[in-house]
């Protein structure tokens, strides 16, 4: 437990796939209410100081689900995704990448996106929905670059150099993949 009992930097509560770090903040002024919000790449959950560890874990899960549901209602549709692709192409690829279609798909469970240069089509996995914008932008820009350079050679990676969050986005996605590979043992958390 951290030195300050009112503030725990991260929760040891297992989190659903694709979620960011969770910071639990305890407050002695809070009696019954629990709230949560996103702060950058982190989720902050505010709870009463007297709440037990088991209640904390339960409320963190409840609040993560509630935030995810709120965010899913605000997700980009295919038309907004196409507008975003056009903006990214203009900003980072001099407008040279012009996809014929950009859409979300639910049948990509092992890759984040795909591109068919001959058709000019880009498909992004639905698993990206709800992830930080810079991550979605990176995957979209990655697929846009494939319209110009099909493989992953040096020319391809040079196209992505201007995007300032490439390494951060790749790290985020690698973390999601690594978290998915962790064993999910039933009853592993003791009260």
């Amino acid at each position: 437990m951290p030195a300050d009992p009112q503030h725990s930097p991260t929760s040891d509560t297992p989190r659903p796939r694709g979620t960011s770090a969770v910071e639990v903040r305890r407050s002695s002024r809070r009696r019954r209410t629990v709230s949560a919000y996103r702060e950058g790449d982190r989720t902050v959950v505010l709870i009463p100081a007297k709440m037990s560890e088991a209640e904390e874990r339960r409320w963190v899960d409840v609040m993560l689900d509630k935030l995810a549901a709120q965010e899913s209602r605000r997700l980009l549709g295919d038309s907004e995704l196409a507008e975003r692709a056009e903006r990214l192409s203009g900003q980072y690829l001099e407008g040279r990448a012009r996809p014929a279609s950009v859409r979300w798909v639910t049948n990509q469970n092992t890759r984040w996106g795909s591109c068919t240069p001959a058709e000019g089509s880009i498909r992004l996995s639905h698993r990206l929905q709800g992830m930080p914008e810079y991550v979605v932008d990176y995957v979209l820009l990655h697929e846009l670059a494939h319209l110009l350079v099909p493989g992953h050679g040096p020319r391809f990676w040079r196209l992505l150099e201007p995007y300032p969050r490439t390494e951060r986005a790749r790290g985020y996605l690698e973390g999601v993949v690594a978290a998915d590979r962790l064993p999910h043992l039933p009853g592993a958390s003791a009260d």
Side-chain angles (χ1 to χ4, degrees), residues 37-52:
Y37 60 92
R38 303 281 192 215
E39 188 174 80
D41 295 340
R42 170 180 305 278
T43 302
V44 178
V45 180
L46 307 170
I47 64 171
K50 293 182 179 184
M51 190 173 277
S52 72

Side-chain angles (χ1 to χ4, degrees), residues 17-30:
R17 297 174 193 191
T19 58
S20 59
V22 174
E23 179 178 328
V24 175
R25 295 181 186 166
R26 292 176 173 267
S27 169
S28 56
R29 291 183 297 180
R30 223 173 243 282

Side-chain angles (χ1 to χ4, degrees), residues 85 88 93 97-99 101-103 108 111-117 120-125 128 136-150 152 156 159-160:
L88 289 167
L93 302 171
R98 294 187 194 106
S101 68
V102 182
R103 61 190 176 97
Q108 288 188 11
R111 52 175 61 184
W112 299 112
S114 62
C115 173
T116 307
S121 63
I122 292 175
R123 295 158 307 280
L124 296 188
S125 172
L128 290 165
V136 176
D137 282 352
Y138 164 73
V139 175
L140 191 49
L141 187 60
H142 182 107
E143 300 309 329
L144 286 165
H146 279 309
L147 291 175
L148 305 174
V149 178
H152 288 105
F156 172 83
L159 291 173
L160 296 178

Side-chain angles (χ1 to χ4, degrees), residues 2-172:
D4 177 6
Q6 303 300 326
H7 188 267
S8 19
T10 57
S11 170
D12 292 332
T13 303
R15 294 184 300 275
R17 297 174 193 191
T19 58
S20 59
V22 174
E23 179 178 328
V24 175
R25 295 181 186 166
R26 292 176 173 267
S27 169
S28 56
R29 291 183 297 180
R30 223 173 243 282
R31 299 283 179 231
R32 289 180 291 204
T33 62
V34 176
S35 62
Y37 60 92
R38 303 281 192 215
E39 188 174 80
D41 295 340
R42 170 180 305 278
T43 302
V44 178
V45 180
L46 307 170
I47 64 171
K50 293 182 179 184
M51 190 173 277
S52 72
E53 287 182 32
E55 289 173 308
E56 174 185 323
R57 283 192 299 272
R58 185 178 74 79
W59 274 106
V60 165
D61 287 342
V62 166
M63 297 312 287
L64 286 173
D65 289 345
K66 187 175 182 175
L67 282 174
Q70 289 171 353
E71 289 167 349
S72 70
R73 288 190 291 271
R74 293 189 304 249
L75 295 177
L76 297 174
D78 290 348
S79 61
E80 292 93 355
L81 199 57
E83 290 169 13
R84 199 168 187 163
E86 185 178 338
R87 179 183 54 79
L88 289 167
S89 176
Q91 189 173 356
Y92 297 105
L93 302 171
E94 301 169 354
R96 295 181 298 140
R98 294 187 194 106
S101 68
V102 182
R103 61 190 176 97
W104 295 106
V105 294
T106 58
N107 63 350
Q108 288 188 11
N109 295 314
T110 59
R111 52 175 61 184
W112 299 112
S114 62
C115 173
T116 307
E119 297 173 5
S121 63
I122 292 175
R123 295 158 307 280
L124 296 188
S125 172
H126 72 286
R127 296 178 306 138
L128 290 165
Q129 293 176 323
M131 288 190 188
E133 283 186 17
Y134 73 91
V135 175
V136 176
D137 282 352
Y138 164 73
V139 175
L140 191 49
L141 187 60
H142 182 107
E143 300 309 329
L144 286 165
H146 279 309
L147 291 175
L148 305 174
V149 178
H152 288 105
R155 275 183 56 228
F156 172 83
W157 292 109
R158 275 194 297 277
L159 291 173
L160 296 178
E161 284 175 2
Y163 185 63
R165 293 182 150 188
T166 293
E167 289 306 312
R168 186 174 181 192
R170 291 183 69 179
Y172 185 97

